[in-house]
Amino acid sequence: MAHATSPDAGAEPLSAVRLRSEVGGSASMWTDLRVVAETGSTNEDALKQAVDGAAEGLVIAAESQTAGRGRQGRRWLTRPGAALTFSVLLRPQPVQRAPRGWLPLLAGLATAAGLRQRTGVDARLKWPNDVLVGDLKLAGILAEQCGDAIVVGIGVNVLGREDDLPVATEMSLERCGVDLTDLTCLLAAILRELEARYRRWCEVGPGEVDASGLREEYRSLCDTLGRAVLVQLPGDRELAGLAVDVDGAGQLMVRPRRGELVAVSAGDVIHVR
Ligand code: BTN
C-alpha cells in the first residue's frame, strides 16, 4: 500500500483525521481508519489484516484501486479519484451460519442511507445489495469471509458521464447531477449508518431481523421485491419468477410461474418488469 497523496482529478483527497472526528471519535466502532493513495484492492488488504489478527473496526479507504474486485469473481474497475472505494473489517460473534447472510444486505441499507443523506439521490437497492438510482447501478458491495472475520467492501461511482463509465448499466453521482468533492464526508456518513445497523443487528440478534427493524427497512428500499425477475444462479442456471420477499437468512424468495417458492442465497438478479 502506498501513502495517501492527491487523487488524479476531481474530489479532494480523503482525510483520515477528519474521518475520525466525523464518525464520532473514540465512541465509534471504527477504531483504525487508514487512507491510502493506491492499492490493488482494499478488500484484499483488509482480508490480509484479518489473517494477521486485526481487530473489528478497521477501515481501509483508497483513492485508487488497481485490481478492484466485484461480486461473482468479476473485476471492479474505476479511474483514479473517480470513485469512493473502501473496506471494513467486522468480526461478528459466533452465530449460526445462515443469519450472517444479512450482513451484505445491511451494508447495502447503510450505503443507500449514507448516499441519500449526503447527496439527496434516490438511492434504492437491488437484491442483495446493489445500490441503484433508477435502474442504474451507483454503488456495489462485496462481502468476503475469512474465518470469523467478514470484510465488506463498498465502491461508489462518483465521477463519470454516460460515455465514460466502465459499464453501460452504471450510474455515478456526477451523472445524477451531484457535484460532490468532499468524499470524506460521504464516507463518514456511510460508516455511521453502517455502525448503527451493525450494532442493532448484533444486539437484537442476527436472526431477529423483524425485531431489529432491518427487514422492514430493507423491504421499503429494495426495488427487487414485487418485481418479475430473472436470477442467474451459480452453475449457469436461471430462475424466472416473482420476487416476493427476503427471508430471515437474507435469501431472496422467488415464486416461479409453476412450482414452489425458491430461496436464493447467491446469484445475479435482472429486473424484468
Ligand atoms: C460488485 O457490485 O460487484 C461489488 C463491487 C465492490 C467494489 C468494492 S470497491 C472497495 C472494495 N475493494 C474491492 O476490491 N472491491 C470492493
Side-chain angles (χ1 to χ4, degrees):
M1 282 189 268
H3 289 292
T5 56
S6 300
D8 285 359
E12 292 162 18
L14 292 165
S15 157
V17 174
R18 267 189 53 223
L19 195 54
R20 155 111 341 275
S21 79
E22 291 197 22
V23 293
S26 57
S28 159
M29 70 172 281
W30 308 117
T31 48
D32 185 356
L33 296 155
R34 306 182 194 177
V35 174
V36 299
E38 183 183 287
T39 188
S41 153
T42 55
N43 260 37
E44 191 178 337
D45 295 338
L47 283 165
K48 279 191 194 136
Q49 296 294 319
V51 170
D52 289 348
E56 170 167 276
L58 168 69
V59 178
I60 303 177
E63 307 285 4
S64 165
Q65 293 188 127
T66 53
R69 299 177 183 171
R71 288 179 57 234
Q72 315 278 358
R74 289 186 288 259
R75 296 200 299 160
W76 177 266
L77 299 173
T78 47
R79 281 187 294 118
L84 174 62
T85 50
F86 66 99
S87 302
V88 303
L89 171 60
L90 303 172
R91 290 191 188 272
Q93 291 305 301
V95 287
Q96 307 102 311
R97 217 178 130 66
R100 280 191 168 201
W102 263 85
L103 260 181
L105 276 63
L106 75 83
L109 284 174
T111 306
L115 279 161
R116 294 172 84 88
Q117 190 193 104
R118 293 309 324 177
T119 69
V121 296
D122 186 18
R124 299 187 59 79
L125 296 170
K126 182 173 80 160
W127 185 90
N129 54 18
D130 281 350
V131 179
L132 306 183
V133 172
D135 280 334
L136 301 178
K137 180 162 164 173
L138 176 63
I141 295 170
L142 174 65
E144 298 185 274
Q145 185 155 355
C146 168
D148 71 337
I150 295 184
V151 167
V152 179
I154 300 178
V156 180
N157 294 323
V158 176
L159 298 177
R161 295 178 306 277
E162 196 167 348
D163 51 358
D164 63 6
L165 280 162
V167 207
T169 53
E170 291 206 347
M171 182 49 111
S172 69
L173 288 175
E174 181 184 18
R175 210 177 153 188
C176 292
V178 176
D179 178 17
L180 186 75
T181 51
D182 185 358
L183 297 188
T184 303
C185 190
L186 175 60
L187 173 53
I190 295 173
L191 290 174
R192 284 195 307 266
E193 297 293 336
L194 183 54
E195 175 169 357
R197 284 163 187 78
Y198 178 67
R199 281 192 192 276
R200 210 170 347 123
W201 181 74
C202 291
E203 281 161 19
V204 179
E208 307 296 328
V209 286
D210 289 320
S212 63
L214 287 169
R215 178 146 53 175
E216 191 185 336
E217 187 188 9
Y218 190 84
R219 284 176 178 144
S220 74
L221 266 191
C222 180
D223 268 358
T224 305
L225 303 181
R227 292 181 73 154
V229 292
L230 181 66
V231 190
Q232 295 168 328
L233 299 165
D236 277 342
R237 290 170 305 131
E238 284 190 346
L239 170 69
L242 182 69
V244 292
D245 206 353
V246 276
D247 71 7
Q251 301 176 109
L252 183 67
M253 307 304 293
V254 178
R255 189 183 304 289
R257 205 168 293 158
R258 281 183 215 89
E260 312 223 316
L261 214 53
V262 181
V264 177
S265 56
D268 272 332
V269 169
I270 297 168
H271 290 163
V272 178
R273 284 194 301 277

